Amino acid sequence: RYITEDENGVPWIKIGDTSTGLKYVVKTAQKITPEGAKKSRILEKGDFILSNSMSFGRPYILDMTGAIHDGWASISEFNATLNPDYLYHYLSSNKVQKYWLSKINSGSVSNLNADIIKSLLVPIPCLDNSEKSLEIQKEIVCILDSFNELTTELTTELTTELSARKKQYNYYREQLFSFEEGDV
């Protein structure tokens, strides 16, 4: 009863509004009424969300204000200490994903929850100098983004090449196994 088509509705962020490989949540399929939003948690542009069950721990940065339900965990109010892209890269790392897995598979815990998220130690360079720390984080982000772009380009090129080789294989396979009557 809280779903609305009203343009003044609050974006309702669900798992289906995200996609593996994307960093930002930019739009939602549905909106909820302001009354529905009061029963939810409103997050601001720049906040992080992480799925807290099943494919848990995958980070997304909100590129809009929206409401989340209990299928999400969130991280807010970190900008004074952490560059959002730095935090994104760290939360996406294998090290952090293994950490989530070790905590969730520890027996009675089955969801990524606030206590588990708060227990994660984030490496922050020059912690005693916020300005220098954010500068270093920005440099790290530039390096990681460059590697990510290169990897994406190479993956695209390799996919194209593999697709061409597969077509070539299929063509020659059909040619080599096409016999006229009496050729055998």
Side-chain angles (χ1 to χ4, degrees):
R1 71 180 195 206
Y2 296 113
I3 303 297
T4 184
E5 298 289 325
D6 187 340
E7 66 181 50
N8 295 321
V10 178
W12 182 236
I13 304 164
K14 297 189 289 188
I15 295 291
D17 298 317
T18 63
S19 179
T20 302
L22 294 182
K23 184 189 286 191
Y24 297 97
V25 177
V26 297
K27 65 180 181 173
T28 61
Q30 292 183 315
K31 293 181 179 183
I32 57 174
T33 63
E35 298 80 35
K38 289 177 185 174
K39 298 179 181 291
S40 183
R41 178 158 183 219
I42 303 294
L43 297 176
E44 301 297 324
K45 182 176 180 173
D47 288 345
F48 274 76
I49 56 173
L50 302 107
S51 172
N52 68 7
S53 59
M54 293 183 54
S55 61
F56 56 85
R58 171 74 173 89
Y60 297 94
I61 304 172
L62 295 183
D63 196 27
M64 60 182 200
T65 296
I68 60 170
H69 57 81
D70 59 1
W72 293 106
S74 65
I75 303 173
S76 303
E77 300 176 15
F78 54 84
N79 288 333
T81 309
L82 290 166
N83 173 304
D85 292 307
Y86 177 85
L87 182 58
Y88 173 82
H89 282 294
Y90 184 66
L91 292 175
S92 299
S93 71
N94 286 336
K95 178 180 181 173
V96 172
Q97 296 304 309
K98 287 178 185 175
Y99 179 79
W100 297 147
L101 192 59
S102 74
K103 294 297 183 183
I104 288 175
N105 289 336
S106 65
S108 62
V109 179
S110 60
N111 286 341
L112 184 61
N113 60 42
D115 290 335
I116 294 172
I117 294 169
K118 288 176 186 176
S119 72
L120 176 69
L121 298 177
V122 178
I124 300 174
C126 296
L127 191 54
D128 59 336
N129 183 337
S130 179
E131 189 175 316
K132 186 173 182 180
S133 177
L134 290 170
E135 260 180 53
I136 293 170
Q137 290 175 45
K138 187 175 181 181
E139 289 176 27
I140 291 170
V141 167
C142 286
I143 292 167
L144 293 174
D145 283 349
S146 294
F147 278 121
N148 191 39
E149 287 174 22
L150 179 61
T151 302
T152 301
E153 287 174 26
L154 289 174
T155 300
T156 301
E157 289 174 17
L158 287 172
T159 300
T160 301
E161 180 69 21
L162 288 172
S163 179
R165 295 290 173 226
K166 183 72 172 174
K167 286 179 185 175
Q168 187 179 37
Y169 165 79
N170 287 333
Y171 172 81
Y172 283 111
R173 181 188 60 203
E174 295 307 314
Q175 294 300 312
L176 290 168
F177 288 114
S178 295
F179 299 107
E180 295 292 325
E181 192 71 33
D183 283 350
V184 191

